Structures are given as structure tokens and as C-alpha cells.
Coordinates of all heavy atoms in Angstrom, one line a residue:
G1 N 20.1 136.8 45.9 CA 20.5 138.0 46.8 C 21.6 137.6 47.8 O 21.6 138.3 48.8
I2 N 22.4 136.7 47.4 CA 23.5 136.3 48.4 C 24.8 136.7 47.5 O 25.2 135.8 46.7 CB 23.5 134.9 48.9 CG1 22.2 134.5 49.5 CG2 24.6 134.6 49.9 CD1 21.9 133.1 49.8
G3 N 25.4 137.8 47.8 CA 26.5 138.3 46.9 C 27.8 137.6 47.3 O 28.0 137.0 48.4
N4 N 28.8 137.7 46.4 CA 30.1 137.1 46.6 C 30.8 137.6 47.8 O 31.5 136.8 48.5 CB 31.0 137.3 45.3 CG 30.6 136.5 44.1 OD1 29.9 135.5 44.3 ND2 31.0 136.9 42.9
T5 N 30.7 138.9 48.0 CA 31.4 139.5 49.3 C 30.8 138.9 50.5 O 31.6 138.5 51.4 CB 31.1 141.0 49.3 OG1 31.5 141.6 48.0 CG2 31.9 141.7 50.3
T6 N 29.5 138.7 50.6 CA 28.9 138.1 51.8 C 29.4 136.7 52.0 O 29.8 136.3 53.1 CB 27.4 138.1 51.6 OG1 26.9 139.4 51.5 CG2 26.7 137.3 52.8
V7 N 29.4 135.9 50.9 CA 29.8 134.5 51.0 C 31.3 134.4 51.4 O 31.7 133.6 52.3 CB 29.6 133.8 49.6 CG1 30.3 132.4 49.7 CG2 28.2 133.7 49.3
E8 N 32.1 135.3 50.9 CA 33.6 135.3 51.2 C 33.8 135.6 52.7 O 34.6 134.9 53.3 CB 34.3 136.3 50.3 CG 35.8 136.0 50.2 CD 36.4 136.8 49.0 OE1 35.9 136.8 47.9 OE2 37.4 137.5 49.4
K9 N 33.1 136.6 53.2 CA 33.2 136.9 54.6 C 32.8 135.8 55.5 O 33.5 135.4 56.4 CB 32.2 138.1 55.0 CG 32.8 139.5 54.5 CD 31.8 140.6 54.8 CE 32.3 141.9 54.3 NZ 31.2 143.0 54.5
V10 N 31.7 135.1 55.2 CA 31.2 134.0 56.0 C 32.2 132.9 55.9 O 32.6 132.2 56.9 CB 29.8 133.5 55.6 CG1 29.3 132.4 56.4 CG2 28.8 134.7 55.7
M11 N 32.6 132.5 54.7 CA 33.5 131.4 54.5 C 34.8 131.6 55.2 O 35.4 130.6 55.8 CB 33.7 131.2 53.0 CG 34.1 129.8 52.6 SD 32.7 128.6 52.9 CE 33.7 127.3 53.6
T12 N 35.4 132.8 55.1 CA 36.7 133.0 55.7 C 36.6 132.9 57.2 O 37.5 132.1 57.8 CB 37.2 134.5 55.4 OG1 37.2 134.7 54.0 CG2 38.5 134.8 56.0
E13 N 35.6 133.3 57.8 CA 35.5 133.1 59.3 C 35.2 131.7 59.7 O 35.7 131.2 60.7 CB 34.4 134.1 59.8 CG 34.8 135.6 59.8 CD 36.1 135.9 60.6 OE1 36.2 135.5 61.8 OE2 37.0 136.4 60.0
A14 N 34.3 131.1 58.9 CA 34.0 129.7 59.1 C 35.2 128.8 59.1 O 35.4 127.9 60.0 CB 32.9 129.2 58.1
V15 N 36.1 129.0 58.1 CA 37.3 128.1 58.0 C 38.3 128.5 59.1 O 38.8 127.6 59.7 CB 37.9 128.4 56.6 CG1 39.4 127.8 56.6 CG2 37.1 127.9 55.4
R16 N 38.4 129.8 59.4 CA 39.3 130.2 60.5 C 38.9 129.7 61.8 O 39.8 129.2 62.6 CB 39.3 131.7 60.6 CG 40.5 132.3 61.4 CD 40.6 133.8 61.3 NE 39.5 134.5 61.7 CZ 39.3 134.8 63.1 NH1 40.2 134.4 64.0 NH2 38.2 135.5 63.4
E17 N 37.7 129.6 62.1 CA 37.2 129.1 63.4 C 36.7 127.6 63.5 O 36.4 127.1 64.5 CB 36.1 130.1 64.0 CG 36.7 131.5 64.2 CD 35.7 132.2 65.1 OE1 35.0 131.6 65.9 OE2 35.8 133.5 65.1
G18 N 36.7 127.0 62.2 CA 36.2 125.6 62.2 C 34.8 125.5 62.5 O 34.4 124.5 63.1
V19 N 34.0 126.4 62.1 CA 32.5 126.5 62.4 C 31.8 126.3 61.1 O 32.2 126.7 60.1 CB 32.1 127.8 63.0 CG1 30.6 127.9 63.2 CG2 32.8 128.0 64.4
P20 N 30.7 125.5 61.1 CA 29.9 125.3 59.9 C 29.4 126.6 59.3 O 29.2 127.6 60.0 CB 28.7 124.5 60.3 CG 29.2 123.8 61.6 CD 30.1 124.7 62.2
F21 N 29.4 126.7 58.0 CA 29.0 127.9 57.2 C 27.7 128.5 57.8 O 27.7 129.7 58.0 CB 28.9 127.6 55.7 CG 28.5 128.7 54.9 CD1 29.4 129.5 54.3 CD2 27.1 129.1 54.6 CE1 29.0 130.6 53.5 CE2 26.7 130.1 53.9 CZ 27.7 130.9 53.2
W22 N 26.7 127.7 58.0 CA 25.4 128.2 58.4 C 25.5 128.9 59.8 O 24.8 130.0 59.9 CB 24.4 127.1 58.4 CG 24.3 126.3 57.2 CD1 24.8 125.0 56.9 CD2 23.7 126.7 55.9 NE1 24.5 124.6 55.6 CE2 23.8 125.6 55.0 CE3 23.1 127.9 55.5 CZ2 23.4 125.8 53.7 CZ3 22.6 128.0 54.2 CH2 22.8 126.9 53.2
D23 N 26.2 128.2 60.7 CA 26.3 128.8 62.0 C 27.0 130.2 62.0 O 26.6 131.1 62.7 CB 27.0 127.8 63.0 CG 26.1 126.6 63.2 OD1 25.0 126.5 62.7 OD2 26.7 125.6 63.8
M24 N 28.1 130.2 61.2 CA 28.9 131.4 61.2 C 28.1 132.5 60.5 O 28.2 133.7 60.9 CB 30.2 131.1 60.3 CG 31.1 132.4 60.2 SD 31.5 133.1 61.8 CE 32.6 131.9 62.6
A25 N 27.2 132.2 59.5 CA 26.4 133.3 58.9 C 25.5 133.9 59.9 O 25.4 135.2 59.9 CB 25.6 132.6 57.8
Q26 N 24.9 133.2 60.8 CA 24.1 133.8 61.8 C 24.8 134.6 62.8 O 24.4 135.7 63.2 CB 23.3 132.7 62.6 CG 22.2 133.2 63.5 CD 21.2 134.0 62.8 OE1 20.6 133.5 61.8 NE2 21.0 135.2 63.3
R27 N 26.0 134.1 63.1 CA 26.8 134.9 64.1 C 27.3 136.2 63.5 O 27.3 137.2 64.1 CB 28.1 134.0 64.4 CG 28.8 134.6 65.6 CD 30.2 134.0 65.8 NE 30.1 132.5 66.1 CZ 31.2 131.8 66.3 NH1 32.4 132.3 66.2 NH2 31.1 130.5 66.6
L28 N 27.6 136.3 62.2 CA 28.1 137.5 61.6 C 26.9 138.5 61.4 O 27.1 139.7 61.4 CB 28.7 137.2 60.3 CG 30.1 136.4 60.3 CD1 30.7 136.3 59.0 CD2 31.0 137.0 61.3
V29 N 25.7 138.0 61.3 CA 24.5 138.9 61.2 C 24.4 139.5 62.6 O 24.2 140.8 62.7 CB 23.3 138.1 60.9 CG1 22.0 139.0 61.0 CG2 23.3 137.6 59.4
N30 N 24.5 138.7 63.6 CA 24.3 139.2 65.0 C 25.4 140.3 65.3 O 25.2 141.2 66.0 CB 24.4 138.1 66.0 CG 23.2 137.1 65.9 OD1 22.2 137.4 65.3 ND2 23.4 135.9 66.3
D31 N 26.6 140.0 64.7 CA 27.8 140.9 65.0 C 27.7 142.2 64.1 O 28.6 143.0 64.2 CB 29.1 140.2 64.9 CG 29.3 139.2 65.9 OD1 28.5 139.2 66.9 OD2 30.2 138.3 65.8
G32 N 26.8 142.2 63.1 CA 26.7 143.3 62.2 C 27.8 143.4 61.1 O 27.9 144.3 60.3
V33 N 28.5 142.1 60.9 CA 29.5 142.0 59.8 C 28.8 141.9 58.5 O 29.3 142.4 57.5 CB 30.4 140.8 60.1 CG1 31.4 140.7 59.0 CG2 31.1 141.0 61.4
I34 N 27.7 141.2 58.4 CA 27.0 141.1 57.1 C 25.5 141.6 57.4 O 25.1 141.6 58.6 CB 26.9 139.7 56.5 CG1 26.2 138.7 57.5 CG2 28.2 139.2 56.3 CD1 26.0 137.3 56.9
T35 N 24.8 142.1 56.4 CA 23.6 142.7 56.6 C 22.5 141.7 57.0 O 22.6 140.6 56.7 CB 23.1 143.5 55.2 OG1 22.9 142.5 54.3 CG2 24.3 144.4 54.8
V36 N 21.4 142.3 57.6 CA 20.3 141.5 58.0 C 19.7 140.9 56.7 O 19.2 139.8 56.7 CB 19.3 142.4 58.8 CG1 18.0 141.6 59.0 CG2 19.9 142.8 60.1
K37 N 19.6 141.7 55.6 CA 19.0 141.3 54.4 C 19.7 140.0 53.8 O 19.2 139.0 53.4 CB 19.0 142.4 53.4 CG 18.3 142.1 52.1 CD 18.4 143.3 51.1 CE 17.8 143.0 49.8 NZ 17.9 144.1 48.8
A38 N 21.1 140.1 53.9 CA 21.9 139.0 53.4 C 21.7 137.8 54.2 O 21.6 136.6 53.7 CB 23.3 139.4 53.3
G39 N 21.7 138.0 55.5 CA 21.4 137.0 56.5 C 20.1 136.3 56.3 O 20.0 135.0 56.4
A40 N 19.1 137.1 56.0 CA 17.7 136.5 55.7 C 17.7 135.7 54.5 O 17.0 134.6 54.4 CB 16.7 137.7 55.7
A41 N 18.4 136.1 53.5 CA 18.5 135.4 52.2 C 19.2 134.0 52.4 O 18.8 133.0 51.9 CB 19.3 136.2 51.1
I42 N 20.3 134.0 53.2 CA 21.0 132.8 53.6 C 20.1 131.8 54.3 O 20.0 130.7 54.1 CB 22.3 133.0 54.3 CG1 23.4 133.8 53.4 CG2 22.9 131.8 54.9 CD1 24.6 134.2 54.2

């Protein structure tokens, strides 16, 4: 349940800001950029 679009969003921001993938995923859930469901799967 972790789609390509979700992964791409997290990865793009993680690379841009130099933040680990896992930390960026939580931040994007909090900001509403990715869904709570996708965040829970990650």
C-alpha cells in the first residue's frame, strides 16, 4: 500500500532538504502532502 507517487514525493523532498527518507515521510504526513493511510503504511 505504498504507491509510486507517495514514494516519489517523499524522496524528492528528502533529497532536496538532505533529510532521511523516514523523517521526511512523517513530516509530509503532518503537512498533509501525503495521506495518513500512506504514512501509516510507511
